[in-house]
Amino acid sequence: MKNKSLFSIVKASLMSNKALSAMFCFFVLISYVLIFLAVGIIVPLGVNIETKLNNHILNREIIIDISHHVSEEECKRRLDEISNIPEVIDIYENPFIVFVNDTSGNIKSEYELGFIHKYYDITMVAGRVFDESEGEVALVPAKFQDYDASEGIIREVDGTTLIGKTLKLKDMTDNVRDFKVIGAYDTTDPIFNGKEILVPRAQLSGYRAKFTEAFPDRYQGGWSYIVVTDSPDSTEDVYKQVEKITNSYRPHLNIDAESFNTAFVILLGSTVFFVLLTVFGFYMFLKGNVNARTNELALYRAMGFNSKNLFKIIAGEHLVLTLLSIILGAGAFYGITYFVVNPYLMSFLGGTYMEMAVDSNPLFGLAVAVVYIVITLGVTVTAVKRSEKIDLTVLLRE
């Protein structure tokens, strides 16, 4: 049988079963869109939870405080003992908290001099991040509220407008230092409180001794360090060991990560079940559709068609319908994602630490299409082979 004749048969069959073909296309289109959307949402959510919560730098840190009553030799001994713990990759000074006011008039409220934690990738909105070896440079929040006590008003400040300006920051000892603003950073990460002006850690060194000398009744001196572990999974075990050596505590994010992880496991399980159920539904729908054509198969065999010809006819019909449905489904997916789902996610999570959008990776869409095509071919092969085992007179009688 020539391919041209087979094509004519496939075309005629599709035209004669318009209602069934339309129903099949509709089912495939809807199932394809739903699977693509389900995975497109669950994937970025999982990445968010894993990277932003589970692997956050605070989950790898332990703060140790050593009293001023402890000698420098004993302090060094404790640090060496902690550094010898296999899972500890770094120990560095925990900078002193410094509250400052800007005497240049650019900003009015009181702010805190902060620092960028080691092994933390800060998100910049504008400008650039500083190198720790630089001096007298600063990063400001991208958006923050500035309280002007003289006028009793709160202003919304766009931090990017401060880039290039110099802040004259006065500390609690009335010492003024100039810091040039070189960038504005994103404050959605709960590691920040939104009122921090970030400067190189070296710029904060010496404040502890200076404040202890200026306010001996308020600041007792001593040392404070940040211990960094190799992974969040090992932090708790390291903490138990560090506790036996010196005073310590674990910082925590102001986000209930456990609830997010529990919700994700439930959603992941539901998504996997939904995807499998949808694919199985496609399989059953296709199988029923092909099996319902027993009389047609009998007619083709009576006309002299062999199994190879039957496979080409049945597979050709359903591959055409499946591919057409997938193409329409991909267009529907991107349209729904762009106009409906992403705007909703932005209104719900936009501007927060968990901001996300649907992952519309075309490779996944292609993978789903391949699964559908494989199922189509598999069902067709099974139906044709089954027809070979049935007596032709029985097929014609049915």
Side-chain angles (χ1 to χ4, degrees):
M1 180 66 67
K2 294 182 178 180
N3 289 332
K4 185 176 181 180
S5 299
L6 289 175
F7 176 77
S8 299
I9 294 174
V10 170
K11 181 179 178 182
S13 180
L14 289 174
M15 295 302 294
S16 63
N17 295 287
K18 292 181 180 178
L20 189 61
S21 297
M23 186 182 301
F24 180 80
C25 286
F26 180 75
F27 180 85
V28 174
L29 186 152
I30 294 299
S31 63
Y32 182 83
V33 170
L34 291 178
I35 291 176
F36 210 161
L37 273 177
V39 178
I41 291 175
I42 203 70
V43 168
L45 178 60
V47 171
N48 258 4
I49 292 175
E50 187 64 20
T51 59
K52 294 183 178 181
L53 296 184
N54 297 338
N55 290 318
H56 195 282
I57 188 60
L58 288 189
N59 292 328
R60 295 173 51 198
E61 291 185 347
I62 300 168
I63 309 299
I64 59 175
D65 290 318
I66 302 178
S67 170
H68 66 286
H69 295 297
V70 175
S71 66
E72 290 190 24
E73 291 76 12
E74 174 61 17
C75 176
K76 184 178 183 304
R77 187 197 68 77
R78 295 182 186 182
L79 293 178
D80 289 341
E81 186 175 354
I82 294 172
S83 65
N84 288 330
I85 299 174
E87 295 80 8
V88 172
I89 63 170
D90 202 356
I91 302 176
Y92 65 96
E93 181 184 351
N94 184 22
F96 199 73
I97 296 176
V98 181
F99 294 98
V100 294
N101 293 96
D102 177 32
T103 61
S104 67
N106 288 304
I107 49 180
K108 306 292 184 180
S109 194
E110 183 179 65
Y111 294 89
E112 176 183 327
L113 286 186
F115 65 99
I116 300 176
H117 291 236
K118 276 191 175 183
Y119 311 100
Y120 175 76
D121 294 324
I122 192 168
T123 301
M124 299 297 296
V125 174
R128 65 175 181 87
V129 66
F130 51 67
D131 186 275
E132 288 295 335
S133 62
E134 292 185 79
E136 280 69 49
V137 291
L139 307 179
V140 297
K143 300 286 184 182
F144 61 98
Q145 293 184 331
D146 185 56
Y147 176 64
D148 187 344
S150 62
E151 298 184 13
I153 59 173
I154 298 177
R155 298 183 301 133
E156 292 287 340
V157 179
D158 181 352
T160 62
T161 63
L162 297 176
I163 296 177
K165 296 183 179 180
T166 298
L167 304 178
K168 296 182 176 296
L169 303 180
K170 182 175 68 173
D171 61 33
M172 293 177 289
T173 62
D174 292 333
N175 179 53
V176 178
R177 297 174 66 179
D178 293 347
F179 289 91
K180 183 178 180 180
V181 179
I182 62 171
Y185 67 95
D186 179 35
T187 60
T188 56
D189 190 327
I191 196 173
F192 302 117
N193 60 29
K195 300 288 289 184
E196 294 164 309
I197 298 174
L198 304 181
V199 299
R201 288 187 297 274
Q203 301 296 302
L204 295 176
S205 299
Y207 274 107
R208 183 180 297 272
K210 184 172 64 173
F211 287 171
T212 300
E213 181 181 353
F215 309 102
D217 296 333
R218 184 175 176 183
Y219 301 102
Q220 298 299 316
W223 300 270
S224 181
Y225 295 90
I226 297 177
V227 178
V228 185
T229 65
D230 56 1
S231 80
D233 296 332
S234 62
T235 304
E236 184 61 28
D237 289 337
V238 173
Y239 175 61
K240 291 177 181 178
Q241 298 179 63
V242 172
E243 268 190 317
K244 299 176 182 178
I245 301 172
T246 190
N247 294 329
S248 59
Y249 65 91
R250 288 189 60 183
H252 293 284
L253 283 170
N254 295 322
I255 293 181
D256 188 358
E258 185 175 349
S259 296
F260 272 95
N261 279 285
T262 301
F264 177 73
V265 170
I266 295 173
L267 286 173
L268 180 61
S270 301
T271 301
V272 171
F273 177 76
F274 170 76
V275 170
L276 292 177
L277 187 64
T278 303
V279 172
F280 181 73
F282 169 74
Y283 165 75
M284 293 302 296
F285 186 86
L286 178 61
K287 183 179 179 181
N289 191 8
V290 174
N291 289 345
R293 302 175 67 174
T294 302
N295 291 336
E296 187 178 340
L297 288 175
L299 178 60
Y300 286 141
R301 285 197 179 277
M303 294 171 61
F305 286 73
N306 57 30
S307 295
K308 184 177 181 181
N309 297 144
L310 292 180
F311 173 78
K312 288 182 179 180
I313 293 171
I314 302 301
E317 289 181 35
H318 289 89
L319 283 177
V320 168
L321 295 176
T322 299
L323 291 174
L324 176 62
S325 302
I326 288 174
I327 292 172
L328 294 175
F333 165 78
Y334 284 105
I336 292 172
T337 297
Y338 183 80
F339 292 106
V340 180
V341 181
N342 277 344
Y344 174 77
L345 290 176
M346 184 57 65
S347 66
F348 185 60
L349 297 172
T352 70
Y353 186 50
M354 297 300 289
E355 181 177 316
M356 58 173 274
V358 175
D359 184 357
S360 55
N361 190 337
L363 291 179
F364 177 73
L366 180 61
V368 176
V370 170
V371 171
Y372 273 36
I373 292 171
V374 169
I375 292 175
T376 300
L377 295 176
V379 170
T380 304
V381 169
T382 302
V384 171
K385 285 186 176 180
R386 187 170 57 252
S387 73
E388 294 174 351
K389 300 178 182 179
I390 303 176
D391 186 73
L392 181 58
T393 57
V394 175
L395 286 174
L396 289 173
R397 190 166 55 247
E398 293 181 354

